[in-house]
Amino acid sequence: MACGGFLLSDYREELAEFFTENEDMVLARTPEEFTEKTAYYLAHDAEREAIARSGQQKVLTHYTLDRVLAGLGQTAAFSAFLPRVAAGVGYTDRDY
């Protein structure tokens, strides 16, 4: 999605929590629905491209690596680790 690709996936609750269905990506709940939606979006380029752009924008706005790592940084286990990641320095298990 970050690269601007269209995502049609089987339904995953986790995806539905972070993205708006039929706006950022498309979810199918059955194999038949997956087949129907595949055919539909192959025939409707403008809709498919709009969904792909929306998904890309959401990922780039909310789910970049620095934002995800910053969220993890709120936990004690990652607090010491993040400054080294930001500096591009490796780590070993001895760092903990």
Side-chain angles (χ1 to χ4, degrees):
M1 289 174 69
C3 294
F6 173 78
L7 178 62
L8 169 58
S9 176
D10 58 325
Y11 181 82
R12 303 288 172 151
E13 188 174 325
E14 299 82 12
L15 288 174
E17 285 180 36
F18 296 104
F19 298 97
T20 304
E21 189 173 356
N22 299 321
E23 184 177 312
D24 302 324
M25 60 152 165
V26 176
L27 299 174
R29 287 162 179 78
T30 66
E32 295 78 21
E33 186 179 22
F34 199 97
T35 300
E36 290 168 8
K37 288 184 176 191
T38 298
Y40 178 85
Y41 285 106
L42 284 173
H44 295 86
D45 293 343
E47 287 181 59
R48 185 181 69 246
E49 292 166 4
I51 291 169
R53 279 191 305 276
S54 178
Q56 181 184 36
Q57 185 62 41
K58 181 155 294 177
V59 168
L60 296 177
T61 301
H62 300 287
Y63 304 112
T64 58
L65 183 59
D66 59 332
R67 287 183 181 268
V68 171
L69 288 176
L72 291 174
Q74 295 173 5
T75 66
F78 284 92
S79 294
F81 172 71
L82 285 178
R84 294 185 69 143
V85 170
V89 177
Y91 73 97
T92 67
D93 58 349
R94 290 173 282 163
D95 292 332
Y96 293 97

